[in-house]
Amino acid sequence: MEMTFTMITPFLQLYLVKELNVPTSEVNTWSGWIFSITFFIGGLMGPIWGLLSDRKSRKLMALRASIGLAIAYSLCGVVQTPLQLFFARFFQGFCAGLYPALLALIATNMPHNRMGFSMGLLQGGMTVGGIAGPFLGGVLAEIFGMRLSFFIGGCSLLAVAMLIMIFVKEGNHPVIKKKTNLLNTGVLKNRRVLIMLFTSMLVYTSLYMLPPILPLYLAALQKSMDNIMMVAGSVFSICGISVMIASPILGMVGQKYGFLKVLIFALFASAILIVAQILATSVAGFTAWRFFGGFAVAGLIPTINSLLTVYTPSEESGTVFGYNFLFSHVGMTIGPAGAGMLANHVSYGSIIALSGLILIPVAFFLISIRKSLLVPASK
């Protein structure tokens, strides 16, 4: 799943320029909105798919998402205009929901004393795909053009659907029996859950400000467009190596000493190491800062997921992760769209610095309400 996503996303800006012939003066705006529309629509649908997974079948929701995404990726590979790509990405957002379905399956089947390690291991597994995806996408784009990457992504998601169908068990989870509205907004009355959802939104806003500007920022650092797709893919991947190493370790640390402590530390460390990336004067230097930053970023998303599991009754985990999908996708919408618009007025380095600084007030806020978050929600 993650490989197919990261094969494409770092290169959408270049896809617009090289395959769809978008003028350079318009590429920042187009790339921002084409990045964002998928996350916006996917986020809106997240709570609905999540509630359906709680009411019906989490495995069925995972199958729906993987097959729908396979179709959407293939459509992206045949478009001829940026507007067509925009609508193909719109459809991709509508089909989304594979990640929260998998999170709900894990939350259902894993004991709570193994949840930190499990979420960390999931993040590590996704990171393997995150490492392979940009590198593979960059190589394929340089040799065959980007359209082949979309088709390979579609075939990979069909393979995911087959793996889920054959090997993944539904597991026993309490089905929601009480009558709820279509979005089951009652779960948002849990203050701890709501705080974690907003934290997730701001974390994703920070992390997704970089992808739309990365290729052209790297081109400026190396002072040429030579092999830029392969370079961007490699640089995008390098952070994944450190995330893969650190995620299970930080998951176990959070299980032993407290997920909230790990989250607050990771927010401060991520902010510092993201801002430090602007100090680099070469691609190699930027890559090194990205690598070290991954050790801190590894403590963000899986720790938030673990806290959501602790604060949520098991019969509503699908719904809550659906809402997390919504809030994270709001962040994924704000980040790329904001970066695309800001790129017309400020330097790329200023955008990178801003993406790190966003995390500091989040950390201070969590410290200020730390005692209220330490009390476990009633299961």
Side-chain angles (χ1 to χ4, degrees):
M1 175 188 71
E2 188 69 8
M3 185 189 74
T4 59
F5 180 72
T6 57
M7 276 175 61
I8 306 301
T9 49
F11 311 112
L12 280 175
Q13 194 180 46
L14 297 176
Y15 187 55
L16 289 166
V17 173
K18 294 193 173 185
E19 298 284 351
L20 303 184
N21 301 314
V22 174
T24 305
S25 60
E26 300 177 14
V27 72
N28 284 328
T29 301
W30 271 114
S31 66
W33 287 110
I34 286 171
F35 259 83
S36 299
I37 189 61
T38 301
F39 305 134
F40 178 71
I41 300 301
L44 289 179
M45 295 302 300
I48 298 174
W49 298 135
L51 181 60
L52 287 174
S53 74
D54 284 338
R55 285 181 174 176
K56 303 295 181 182
S57 165
R58 292 165 183 178
K59 179 177 178 178
L60 183 61
M61 285 299 103
L63 286 171
R64 173 206 58 78
S66 53
I67 294 171
L69 288 170
I71 297 170
Y73 273 72
S74 299
L75 289 174
C76 289
V78 299
V79 299
Q80 299 298 318
T81 68
L83 186 60
Q84 290 175 357
L85 180 60
F86 178 87
F87 284 114
R89 295 269 296 172
F90 181 102
F91 179 67
Q92 181 180 332
F94 179 80
C95 295
L98 180 55
Y99 181 49
L102 299 179
L103 284 172
L105 284 167
I106 289 176
T108 297
N109 291 299
M110 289 302 297
H112 282 285
N113 63 357
R114 299 286 290 170
M115 194 60 63
F117 176 76
S118 300
M119 291 297 181
L121 191 61
L122 174 66
Q123 187 67 34
M126 289 178 63
T127 303
V128 173
I131 294 169
F135 179 75
L136 180 60
V139 171
L140 290 173
E142 288 289 348
I143 299 175
F144 301 106
M146 267 198 70
R147 293 186 187 274
L148 181 64
S149 297
F150 284 109
F151 296 130
I152 291 176
C155 292
S156 298
L157 283 160
L158 285 178
V160 168
M162 293 300 297
L163 289 170
I164 292 171
M165 185 181 300
I166 297 170
F167 295 108
V168 175
K169 305 299 182 184
E170 177 69 33
N172 296 318
H173 67 88
V175 177
I176 291 180
K177 295 180 181 178
K178 61 185 179 182
K179 197 169 183 180
T180 57
N181 57 41
L182 185 60
L183 296 178
N184 189 15
T185 53
V187 298
L188 300 180
K189 295 178 182 178
N190 185 327
R191 180 172 175 267
R192 299 179 186 90
V193 167
L194 194 59
I195 289 170
M196 283 303 108
L197 293 177
F198 274 106
T199 301
S200 178
M201 180 187 76
L202 292 170
V203 165
Y204 276 96
T205 298
S206 169
L207 297 180
Y208 276 78
M209 290 182 74
L210 180 61
I213 65 170
L214 180 63
L216 294 185
Y217 182 69
L218 294 173
L221 283 179
Q222 70 174 14
K223 298 180 174 57
S224 78
M225 292 288 287
D226 294 345
N227 300 316
I228 191 59
M229 288 187 177
M230 194 175 299
V231 171
S234 300
V235 173
F236 200 86
S237 297
I238 197 68
C239 179
I241 297 175
S242 45
V243 171
M244 179 180 63
I245 295 169
S247 290
I249 296 171
L250 290 177
M252 290 187 289
V253 171
Q255 192 80 60
K256 185 173 182 179
Y257 297 104
F259 294 121
L260 189 60
K261 290 180 181 178
V262 173
L263 177 57
I264 291 170
F265 170 80
L267 286 166
F268 279 120
S270 297
I272 293 169
L273 291 170
I274 289 172
V275 173
Q277 292 175 18
I278 66 174
L279 300 175
T281 57
S282 66
V283 172
F286 184 82
T287 303
W289 281 115
R290 288 270 300 166
F291 176 77
F292 290 118
F295 288 107
V297 170
L300 297 175
I301 297 170
T303 306
I304 292 172
N305 290 336
S306 296
L307 284 165
L308 284 172
T309 301
V310 170
Y311 297 147
T312 305
S314 59
E315 68 270 18
E316 294 183 328
S317 60
T319 301
V320 167
F321 282 122
Y323 272 106
N324 188 37
F325 200 63
L326 166 60
F327 277 73
S328 64
H329 276 57
V330 170
M332 292 180 192
T333 302
I334 296 171
M341 290 185 286
L342 286 172
N344 295 318
H345 306 286
V346 301
S347 69
Y348 288 153
S350 298
I351 296 171
I352 294 171
L354 177 61
S355 71
L357 293 173
I358 288 172
L359 300 176
I360 293 178
V362 180
F364 278 116
F365 174 72
L366 293 181
I367 290 173
S368 71
I369 61 168
R370 180 171 174 269
K371 288 184 179 179
S372 66
L373 293 176
L374 289 176
V375 181
S378 177
K379 300 291 298 175

